[in-house]
Amino acid sequence: MAYTYKDIARKARVSISTVSRVINGKDLQKVGKKTQERVSKVVADLDFTPNVIARSLVSKKTFNIAVVVKDFEDIYYSYFSHVVSGIAGVLEKNGYYFQLTRAIKPKEEPLSPYYMKAFEEKRVDGMCILVEEALEKDVMALFEKKFPVVLVNRYIKGIKIPRVLIDNKEGLFRATKELLDTGHKRVAFLSGALRFQLDQDRLAGYKKALSEAGVGFDENLVAEGLFIYEKAYEATGTLLKQEPRITGIVASDDVMALAAIRRIRDAGLSVPEHISVIGFNDMFPFPPGSPTLSSMRLPLVEIGKTAAQMLLDIVSGKKVENDTVVFTPEYIRRESVKSS
């Protein structure tokens, strides 16, 4: 049997407006604690589920949030899967659904990227944008039209769009410093894509560590792996060819770190006896057939939760006191690093 707010109000001996406040979690200061408990018990006893369409008509909301990734295959990459898991948990707890939306256009291009179509067609109430492939002009258009947006691990210089950030500069600084402090002098940086702010910041951290250690920067010790295993494998080969004296590699993520370890082995060298390797994100600490991986650890699920809660606060009209939250990576040392 389908129950209504009126049925719940009658059984709980309260007004329909009180039922609405309890179910939607709004203006609860107007409802006593015992009344809330009584209404909640009736809701549970009746196994009541609000009609989403009816909720949308009344509130003029879709109760959908877009989560923007580069492409759908990214969700299998553990960085994104963990962040999205954190986002999904908060949304579900608050009665929202999420839909993955890609920033990269398919071969048969729509008039605009899918994430912009979701906005233009009013399919979602807000967006968590996880990638830099979402064009700056589009992000700016969303922000200028006061559409709720939270950026995750990206920012636009000079514009304070709500964001949850990773301190990428500090993370690469710490990773590089760990190798330099243990005696390594020729430390390479296996970056993602230097056209993006994320890796520009990480490159800045790498350079800062070299400078503080009195080691000169050598552009031959930087190669782009594009966050792709095969590309990182090739890039590591280039690094080894250009600078055979390398004794340490800092990679911009764990996938590329594992590719680097494989390429080092294929060159007849070993990790960490000949070359030490540090990853980023700490997603693959115990790779099969490899030394345990030293990495920069991040609370990825917590990052997703923080972004989702910030976005829901904006969607609900709450004042967001802190629209910039920064997470700093923590160095976890394991077997892939050896003192030189």
Side-chain angles (χ1 to χ4, degrees), residues 137-332:
K137 68 178 181 64
D138 291 339
V139 176
M140 287 298 300
L142 294 170
F143 182 65
E144 289 169 357
K145 292 177 180 179
K146 302 189 183 304
F147 182 70
V149 175
V150 170
L151 303 179
V152 180
N153 199 20
R154 75 168 289 186
Y155 61 93
I156 297 175
K157 289 183 177 180
I159 307 295
K160 202 172 182 183
I161 299 174
R163 59 266 182 103
V164 177
L165 302 177
I166 293 168
D167 194 338
N168 291 304
K169 181 177 179 179
E170 181 66 17
L172 244 293
F173 169 78
R174 291 184 182 184
T176 306
K177 188 175 187 299
E178 285 292 338
L179 290 180
L180 294 170
D181 286 350
T182 51
H184 296 273
K185 298 299 182 184
R186 303 297 288 173
V187 177
F189 174 38
L190 184 57
S191 74
L194 288 170
R195 71 183 186 276
F196 292 140
Q197 191 65 51
L198 179 157
D199 265 301
Q200 291 175 18
D201 290 344
R202 292 183 182 180
L203 177 61
Y206 169 74
K207 288 181 176 180
K208 179 184 175 184
L210 294 177
S211 177
E212 290 191 3
V215 177
F217 172 69
D218 183 348
E219 63 181 14
N220 288 327
L221 292 178
V222 178
E224 291 183 303
L226 304 179
F227 298 110
I228 300 172
Y229 186 94
E230 293 77 11
K231 295 291 185 183
Y233 180 90
E234 295 171 6
T236 304
T238 300
L239 288 171
L240 295 176
K241 183 177 180 180
Q242 290 179 166
E243 184 46 81
R245 294 178 297 162
I246 288 173
T247 64
I249 294 177
V250 178
S252 207
D253 81 343
D254 288 349
V255 171
M256 295 195 297
L258 296 182
I261 290 174
R262 180 186 165 194
R263 184 64 184 85
I264 290 166
R265 286 179 165 178
D266 289 350
L269 304 172
S270 62
V271 176
E273 283 74 17
H274 296 104
I275 299 178
S276 293
V277 177
I278 296 178
F280 206 102
N281 295 331
D282 196 35
M283 299 311 311
F284 304 107
F286 308 111
S290 298
T292 55
L293 181 63
S294 300
S295 189
M296 302 304 298
R297 175 180 290 172
L298 284 162
L300 298 179
V301 173
E302 187 61 31
I303 287 171
K305 289 181 177 179
T306 303
Q309 189 58 61
M310 184 184 293
L311 183 59
L312 289 184
D313 287 345
I314 296 169
V315 169
S316 65
K318 293 181 182 178
K319 183 178 180 181
V320 178
E321 297 294 340
N322 184 10
D323 60 5
T324 301
V325 178
V326 182
F327 288 85
T328 301
E330 173 192 5
Y331 177 62
I332 305 297

Side-chain angles (χ1 to χ4, degrees), residues 57-103:
L57 290 172
V58 172
S59 66
K60 301 189 184 305
K61 292 181 181 179
T62 67
F63 295 95
N64 282 315
I65 295 295
V67 178
V68 183
V69 296
K70 183 176 73 174
D71 208 342
F72 295 143
E73 64 188 20
D74 284 345
I75 197 63
Y76 296 108
Y77 169 42
S78 57
Y79 165 83
F80 291 105
S81 65
H82 281 68
V83 174
V84 171
S85 176
I87 292 172
V90 170
L91 295 183
E92 290 167 3
K93 184 178 179 181
N94 287 274
Y96 278 76
Y97 296 88
F98 81 95
Q99 57 185 54
L100 283 177
T101 309
R102 56 183 168 188

